[in-house]
Amino acid sequence: MADAKGPDMSTLVQVRDEFCCYTTSDFNHQGLTQAHFTYEEIFELRTYLRHGVRLAPDAVVLDVGANIGLFSLFVKQECPSARVLAFEPMPAVVEALRRNLDLHGVPDVEVHALALGARREEAVFTYHPALSCNSTNRPEGKELLLEMQRVLFGEHAAGSEEVRVDVDTLSAVLERRSDLDRIDLLKIDVEGAELDVLRGVGAANWPRVDQVVVEVHDRDGRLADVLALLGAQGFRTSSQASSLLTESADLREAGAEDVPPGDYLVYATRPR
């Protein structure tokens, strides 16, 4: 399929013979690479359904850091009756997310143009148009990753701009939603702000959460902090290195001398 631009400057790319989606990249190669990686991680490797994590047909799922919506699409493919709330703060990414839901005939995912964190505030995010999955409000520690992107994709791949977005806590969201008496799965992929999201869940709201899968960028002991926080809330936890996210051989071959500290996926379930 030829790449096509929509009026919002999203790019339509063919990921697999049976699957295409909109990306946010102005650089088609980077958008396709990002979509390939995300599709493989979610749909083919089924990364989020491991270590005892499972979805009931009527599951309630919070997709925090939804990006262009592939995890939300996966949940609705697995469980068409599931309720999904997708949280994504970057305006251009939200537009691609909405277009992907429309493209795949999934109109019933709630999209919230909002970041979740430890407190209600307005925050400055660093948005990477070429590789939107790296957008973050925690740019510190991204230097090596950005250098690798330059090596692999060219100087434009590390380009960024600042975007101001609204941040709220998950507890505040839940307290406004009496219809969400349970959260079957809380999925978090927020590029370094994962502890902030978890700390934004008050003690009174944790019993509503049954399972958590969170991507952790292990800087300054963050993995241990995440495991301790979830353990203190009564979860049984396990973690694994995210092999796709930490693969370094291709990067070294391309000329990068160092790789970032490890990235992990943490799985947390209630004892059953």
Side-chain angles (χ1 to χ4, degrees):
M1 175 184 292
D3 296 331
K5 291 284 187 178
D8 59 359
M9 299 305 291
S10 297
T11 304
L12 185 64
V13 296
Q14 188 84 42
V15 179
R16 294 288 188 268
D17 288 344
E18 71 284 1
F19 188 89
C20 59
C21 67
Y22 287 97
T23 75
T24 58
S25 178
D26 289 336
F27 309 99
N28 292 350
H29 176 65
Q30 284 78 12
L32 181 58
T33 299
Q34 177 177 292
H36 268 290
F37 162 75
T38 307
Y39 182 89
E40 181 180 3
E41 180 185 37
I42 293 172
F43 284 86
E44 296 179 348
L45 298 180
R46 299 173 67 83
T47 301
Y48 289 97
L49 298 184
R50 296 180 179 177
H51 297 278
V53 174
R54 56 179 182 256
L55 294 175
D58 62 345
V60 177
V61 177
L62 270 56
D63 184 359
V64 181
N67 198 254
I68 61 173
L70 298 196
F71 180 70
S72 292
L73 290 175
F74 171 77
V75 171
K76 294 297 289 184
Q77 174 182 286
E78 291 288 303
C79 306
S81 298
R83 295 181 62 192
V84 181
L85 283 70
F87 296 83
E88 172 55 50
M90 296 291 99
V93 184
V94 170
E95 186 60 36
L97 164 60
R98 294 186 189 277
R99 297 195 73 186
N100 282 326
L101 296 173
D102 289 343
L103 177 68
H104 291 276
V106 183
D108 55 344
V109 171
E110 286 187 33
V111 177
H112 297 263
L114 179 69
L116 295 181
R119 65 189 64 85
R120 181 176 293 180
E121 61 182 340
E122 183 182 66
V124 175
F125 276 62
T126 301
Y127 173 58
H128 295 278
L131 290 168
S132 64
C133 63
N134 289 321
S135 301
T136 180
N137 67 341
R138 293 287 185 273
E140 63 276 4
K142 287 276 188 180
E143 294 83 0
L144 287 174
L145 181 59
L146 294 177
E147 179 58 31
M148 291 173 195
Q149 291 173 354
R150 291 187 183 97
V151 170
L152 290 174
F153 301 121
E155 186 65 30
H156 60 263
S160 65
E161 58 192 63
E162 291 188 347
V163 179
R164 290 188 174 274
V165 303
D166 292 326
V167 182
D168 207 347
T169 67
L170 181 52
S171 271
V173 171
L174 293 177
E175 286 161 9
R176 293 192 295 266
R177 298 291 299 266
S178 60
D179 58 316
L180 297 177
D181 58 342
R182 76 177 200 280
I183 306 300
D184 295 284
L185 175 59
L186 170 60
K187 169 264 186 187
I188 304 171
D189 182 357
V190 289
E191 298 302 313
E194 48 271 12
L195 263 175
D196 288 344
V197 175
L198 293 171
R199 287 169 176 163
V201 183
N205 294 119
W206 271 116
R208 298 161 77 172
V209 182
D210 187 55
Q211 303 175 113
V212 182
V213 180
V214 53
E215 179 188 306
V216 179
H217 298 265
D218 190 21
R219 316 307 193 255
D220 302 319
R222 195 178 299 154
L223 175 61
D225 289 342
V226 168
L227 291 171
L229 187 155
L230 292 169
Q233 297 301 329
F235 289 95
R236 179 180 298 144
T237 62
S238 57
S239 63
Q240 68 177 51
S242 182
S243 58
L244 283 173
L245 292 171
T246 57
E247 181 61 50
S248 61
D250 291 342
L251 298 172
R252 291 196 179 98
E253 185 178 338
E257 296 181 357
D258 298 297
V259 294
D263 293 330
Y264 293 84
L265 285 167
V266 170
Y267 302 81
T269 57
R270 299 285 185 190
R272 299 182 175 110

